[in-house]
Amino acid sequence: MRDDVPQIFSQYRNRRVALLLFAILWFWSCESGQSDKTELVFWAMGAEGEHVMKLVPQFEAENPDIHVTVQSIPWGAAYEKLLTAYAGQATPDVCQLGNTWVPQFAMLDAILPLDSLITNSRIVQPEAYFEGVWKTNVVNSKVYGVPWYVDTRLLFYRSDIFENAGYTHPPQTWEEWVDISRKISNLDKQRYAVFFSLIFNDWQVPVILIMSNGGSILRENNCYGAFDDPKTVAALSYYIDFFRNGFAPRTMTEFANIYQGFENGDFAMTITGPWNVNEIRRRSPGLAGKWSTAPMPEKVHSNSVAGGASLVVFRTTEHPEAAWKFVEFLSDKETQIEFFNITSDLPAVRSAWESPQLQNDPEIRAFFEQLNTVQPTPPIAEWEQIAVKIQEYLEKVIYEQVTLEVAIQQLNREVDRILEKRRWLLENDLLYN
């Protein structure tokens, strides 16, 4: 054996020890560096949850002391997951909520009021948003969410069919809407004037008509149904007449889907949202120049529902300042434009609509006009249940199972029952304010 072998092994062992010590120190330094960062968890729904991840690196570059983990949740599972997380005190720091969900989580005291943060913000200010959409986040005079992207419903129409019926413009009043519907039906008895979705619990159209006629949905601090309000009855009767007169189909069985029906001219109008602009363009490129969009025809007003999603901060967060920084980042004009480019979700910030992508899109411009006149649905936790009942009872009238008068009586009783707990909480001063 060589005399220097023990020395070689000794040097080898020393190098191993040194490398091991270096690795340990490096690992500790990395761990220490990571622990200095504020960790935020953001829950977002559906495609938005996937696409918002593309914006996070920019936020983290601007805020190197904050790390954001995005969890994408399917819309179908989101509501139950949020309630389970609330019950288990495992809610995220920041979350996307559908606008109609905000009142319920505010009532549960699960999300933070943001008024003081908004007062000191240079980015998030009420006047920067569409008024009706902003109001969806106001519960008992406090602001609980910031609009992230917006949504509403308006008229999609076949301009070529309109021209054949003698109309060079979309209907601007309820009277014109009936007139063009009659003329289209007279052109071809196999063609419907308008398609209203019944199979997807599409309560929006009757609610839009109630709003447009200045009617009421609830009364006495949103504690009782008000569907017997004369203006509400008139709006619902107007809606039902589309089916009675054969202007609208009662089922979808006559065409494979709404896109094919719209392309084939099985119906000339429908009421839907912004996601269908690109969907129609993709599915039916041959319709280019033969269709467009327009604000809802007006009676007293040209109204529609204020939809979309908002950003909220959960009360359980340990990092409210960092959470608010992330909300402000997503609310910045340039971020809003970039998010639109990625998702086609309409910006909630009005100034973002100055971008050429939105200004120069003829089918999108009508949404900006309509968003200026949208109204929020009643800001109560029970709204989702009530919305389901509205469509349920109106379908009974559409299928001639009951008269509209009877349906309204039954609907009022059902809504009064749904709101029983709300009345009790208010009477006992237990409803969160």
PDB file of all heavy atoms in Angstrom, residues 379-393:
ATOM      1  N   PRO A 379     -78.938  43.090  -3.054  1.00  0.00           N
ATOM      2  CA  PRO A 379     -77.705  42.684  -2.366  1.00  0.00           C
ATOM      3  C   PRO A 379     -77.977  41.849  -1.113  1.00  0.00           C
ATOM      4  O   PRO A 379     -77.702  42.266   0.014  1.00  0.00           O
ATOM      5  CB  PRO A 379     -77.059  44.029  -2.008  1.00  0.00           C
ATOM      6  CG  PRO A 379     -78.231  44.937  -1.789  1.00  0.00           C
ATOM      7  CD  PRO A 379     -79.288  44.501  -2.777  1.00  0.00           C
ATOM      8  N   ILE A 380     -78.522  40.674  -1.315  1.00  0.00           N
ATOM      9  CA  ILE A 380     -78.856  39.800  -0.191  1.00  0.00           C
ATOM     10  C   ILE A 380     -78.295  38.400  -0.449  1.00  0.00           C
ATOM     11  O   ILE A 380     -78.103  37.998  -1.591  1.00  0.00           O
ATOM     12  CB  ILE A 380     -80.381  39.714   0.037  1.00  0.00           C
ATOM     13  CG1 ILE A 380     -81.079  39.212  -1.225  1.00  0.00           C
ATOM     14  CG2 ILE A 380     -80.941  41.070   0.463  1.00  0.00           C
ATOM     15  CD1 ILE A 380     -82.558  38.953  -1.046  1.00  0.00           C
ATOM     16  N   ALA A 381     -78.061  37.686   0.626  1.00  0.00           N
ATOM     17  CA  ALA A 381     -77.471  36.351   0.520  1.00  0.00           C
ATOM     18  C   ALA A 381     -78.397  35.370  -0.182  1.00  0.00           C
ATOM     19  O   ALA A 381     -77.943  34.390  -0.774  1.00  0.00           O
ATOM     20  CB  ALA A 381     -77.117  35.833   1.912  1.00  0.00           C
ATOM     21  N   GLU A 382     -79.704  35.635  -0.139  1.00  0.00           N
ATOM     22  CA  GLU A 382     -80.687  34.696  -0.681  1.00  0.00           C
ATOM     23  C   GLU A 382     -80.975  34.883  -2.169  1.00  0.00           C
ATOM     24  O   GLU A 382     -81.830  34.197  -2.730  1.00  0.00           O
ATOM     25  CB  GLU A 382     -82.013  34.836   0.098  1.00  0.00           C
ATOM     26  CG  GLU A 382     -81.916  34.536   1.585  1.00  0.00           C
ATOM     27  CD  GLU A 382     -81.492  35.741   2.416  1.00  0.00           C
ATOM     28  OE1 GLU A 382     -81.158  36.794   1.826  1.00  0.00           O
ATOM     29  OE2 GLU A 382     -81.484  35.632   3.650  1.00  0.00           O
ATOM     30  N   TRP A 383     -80.251  35.809  -2.819  1.00  0.00           N
ATOM     31  CA  TRP A 383     -80.610  36.137  -4.193  1.00  0.00           C
ATOM     32  C   TRP A 383     -80.541  34.934  -5.120  1.00  0.00           C
ATOM     33  O   TRP A 383     -81.408  34.748  -5.984  1.00  0.00           O
ATOM     34  CB  TRP A 383     -79.742  37.265  -4.748  1.00  0.00           C
ATOM     35  CG  TRP A 383     -79.982  37.431  -6.218  1.00  0.00           C
ATOM     36  CD1 TRP A 383     -79.143  37.155  -7.253  1.00  0.00           C
ATOM     37  CD2 TRP A 383     -81.210  37.857  -6.836  1.00  0.00           C
ATOM     38  NE1 TRP A 383     -79.745  37.395  -8.463  1.00  0.00           N
ATOM     39  CE2 TRP A 383     -81.023  37.816  -8.237  1.00  0.00           C
ATOM     40  CE3 TRP A 383     -82.453  38.271  -6.333  1.00  0.00           C
ATOM     41  CZ2 TRP A 383     -82.021  38.178  -9.138  1.00  0.00           C
ATOM     42  CZ3 TRP A 383     -83.453  38.627  -7.238  1.00  0.00           C
ATOM     43  CH2 TRP A 383     -83.234  38.576  -8.622  1.00  0.00           C
ATOM     44  N   GLU A 384     -79.533  34.099  -5.012  1.00  0.00           N
ATOM     45  CA  GLU A 384     -79.391  32.953  -5.917  1.00  0.00           C
ATOM     46  C   GLU A 384     -80.622  32.053  -5.841  1.00  0.00           C
ATOM     47  O   GLU A 384     -81.105  31.555  -6.862  1.00  0.00           O
ATOM     48  CB  GLU A 384     -78.126  32.159  -5.578  1.00  0.00           C
ATOM     49  CG  GLU A 384     -76.821  32.923  -5.787  1.00  0.00           C
ATOM     50  CD  GLU A 384     -76.405  33.011  -7.239  1.00  0.00           C
ATOM     51  OE1 GLU A 384     -76.954  32.248  -8.057  1.00  0.00           O
ATOM     52  OE2 GLU A 384     -75.530  33.833  -7.563  1.00  0.00           O
ATOM     53  N   GLN A 385     -81.139  31.827  -4.640  1.00  0.00           N
ATOM     54  CA  GLN A 385     -82.339  31.003  -4.486  1.00  0.00           C
ATOM     55  C   GLN A 385     -83.547  31.665  -5.141  1.00  0.00           C
ATOM     56  O   GLN A 385     -84.351  31.003  -5.804  1.00  0.00           O
ATOM     57  CB  GLN A 385     -82.644  30.785  -2.998  1.00  0.00           C
ATOM     58  CG  GLN A 385     -81.557  30.072  -2.213  1.00  0.00           C
ATOM     59  CD  GLN A 385     -81.919  30.003  -0.746  1.00  0.00           C
ATOM     60  OE1 GLN A 385     -82.932  29.409  -0.357  1.00  0.00           O
ATOM     61  NE2 GLN A 385     -81.106  30.622   0.080  1.00  0.00           N
ATOM     62  N   ILE A 386     -83.663  32.968  -4.964  1.00  0.00           N
ATOM     63  CA  ILE A 386     -84.798  33.705  -5.527  1.00  0.00           C
ATOM     64  C   ILE A 386     -84.736  33.689  -7.050  1.00  0.00           C
ATOM     65  O   ILE A 386     -85.759  33.501  -7.727  1.00  0.00           O
ATOM     66  CB  ILE A 386     -84.821  35.145  -4.981  1.00  0.00           C
ATOM     67  CG1 ILE A 386     -85.137  35.118  -3.485  1.00  0.00           C
ATOM     68  CG2 ILE A 386     -85.828  36.004  -5.736  1.00  0.00           C
ATOM     69  CD1 ILE A 386     -84.969  36.454  -2.793  1.00  0.00           C
ATOM     70  N   ALA A 387     -83.543  33.863  -7.611  1.00  0.00           N
ATOM     71  CA  ALA A 387     -83.385  33.869  -9.064  1.00  0.00           C
ATOM     72  C   ALA A 387     -83.857  32.557  -9.677  1.00  0.00           C
ATOM     73  O   ALA A 387     -84.524  32.539 -10.723  1.00  0.00           O
ATOM     74  CB  ALA A 387     -81.920  34.137  -9.424  1.00  0.00           C
ATOM     75  N   VAL A 388     -83.536  31.448  -9.018  1.00  0.00           N
ATOM     76  CA  VAL A 388     -83.980  30.135  -9.502  1.00  0.00           C
ATOM     77  C   VAL A 388     -85.504  30.060  -9.511  1.00  0.00           C
ATOM     78  O   VAL A 388     -86.116  29.540 -10.454  1.00  0.00           O
ATOM     79  CB  VAL A 388     -83.388  29.014  -8.630  1.00  0.00           C
ATOM     80  CG1 VAL A 388     -84.033  27.670  -8.957  1.00  0.00           C
ATOM     81  CG2 VAL A 388     -81.878  28.923  -8.815  1.00  0.00           C
ATOM     82  N   LYS A 389     -86.131  30.578  -8.473  1.00  0.00           N
ATOM     83  CA  LYS A 389     -87.592  30.523  -8.366  1.00  0.00           C
ATOM     84  C   LYS A 389     -88.277  31.399  -9.414  1.00  0.00           C
ATOM     85  O   LYS A 389     -89.358  31.064  -9.900  1.00  0.00           O
ATOM     86  CB  LYS A 389     -88.034  30.937  -6.955  1.00  0.00           C
ATOM     87  CG  LYS A 389     -87.607  29.967  -5.860  1.00  0.00           C
ATOM     88  CD  LYS A 389     -88.219  28.583  -6.099  1.00  0.00           C
ATOM     89  CE  LYS A 389     -87.777  27.581  -5.051  1.00  0.00           C
ATOM     90  NZ  LYS A 389     -88.326  26.226  -5.314  1.00  0.00           N
ATOM     91  N   ILE A 390     -87.664  32.535  -9.748  1.00  0.00           N
ATOM     92  CA  ILE A 390     -88.254  33.399 -10.779  1.00  0.00           C
ATOM     93  C   ILE A 390     -88.424  32.623 -12.078  1.00  0.00           C
ATOM     94  O   ILE A 390     -89.509  32.593 -12.672  1.00  0.00           O
ATOM     95  CB  ILE A 390     -87.373  34.648 -11.008  1.00  0.00           C
ATOM     96  CG1 ILE A 390     -87.421  35.562  -9.777  1.00  0.00           C
ATOM     97  CG2 ILE A 390     -87.837  35.404 -12.261  1.00  0.00           C
ATOM     98  CD1 ILE A 390     -86.433  36.719  -9.838  1.00  0.00           C
ATOM     99  N   GLN A 391     -87.359  31.977 -12.522  1.00  0.00           N
ATOM    100  CA  GLN A 391     -87.432  31.232 -13.770  1.00  0.00           C
ATOM    101  C   GLN A 391     -88.347  30.020 -13.643  1.00  0.00           C
ATOM    102  O   GLN A 391     -89.095  29.684 -14.565  1.00  0.00           O
ATOM    103  CB  GLN A 391     -86.033  30.798 -14.215  1.00  0.00           C
ATOM    104  CG  GLN A 391     -85.980  30.189 -15.603  1.00  0.00           C
ATOM    105  CD  GLN A 391     -86.430  31.176 -16.679  1.00  0.00           C
ATOM    106  OE1 GLN A 391     -86.299  32.393 -16.508  1.00  0.00           O
ATOM    107  NE2 GLN A 391     -86.966  30.668 -17.764  1.00  0.00           N
ATOM    108  N   GLU A 392     -88.314  29.366 -12.486  1.00  0.00           N
ATOM    109  CA  GLU A 392     -89.150  28.175 -12.275  1.00  0.00           C
ATOM    110  C   GLU A 392     -90.630  28.490 -12.438  1.00  0.00           C
ATOM    111  O   GLU A 392     -91.362  27.767 -13.130  1.00  0.00           O
ATOM    112  CB  GLU A 392     -88.879  27.623 -10.880  1.00  0.00           C
ATOM    113  CG  GLU A 392     -89.686  26.402 -10.516  1.00  0.00           C
ATOM    114  CD  GLU A 392     -89.414  25.945  -9.089  1.00  0.00           C
ATOM    115  OE1 GLU A 392     -88.232  25.951  -8.676  1.00  0.00           O
ATOM    116  OE2 GLU A 392     -90.386  25.588  -8.378  1.00  0.00           O
ATOM    117  N   TYR A 393     -91.092  29.582 -11.833  1.00  0.00           N
ATOM    118  CA  TYR A 393     -92.514  29.914 -11.906  1.00  0.00           C
ATOM    119  C   TYR A 393     -92.903  30.504 -13.254  1.00  0.00           C
ATOM    120  O   TYR A 393     -94.020  30.287 -13.729  1.00  0.00           O
ATOM    121  CB  TYR A 393     -92.893  30.861 -10.758  1.00  0.00           C
ATOM    122  CG  TYR A 393     -93.064  30.129  -9.454  1.00  0.00           C
ATOM    123  CD1 TYR A 393     -92.009  29.998  -8.564  1.00  0.00           C
ATOM    124  CD2 TYR A 393     -94.275  29.512  -9.127  1.00  0.00           C
ATOM    125  CE1 TYR A 393     -92.151  29.308  -7.369  1.00  0.00           C
ATOM    126  CE2 TYR A 393     -94.429  28.816  -7.940  1.00  0.00           C
ATOM    127  CZ  TYR A 393     -93.365  28.707  -7.067  1.00  0.00           C
ATOM    128  OH  TYR A 393     -93.511  28.010  -5.890  1.00  0.00           O
TER     129      TYR A 393
END
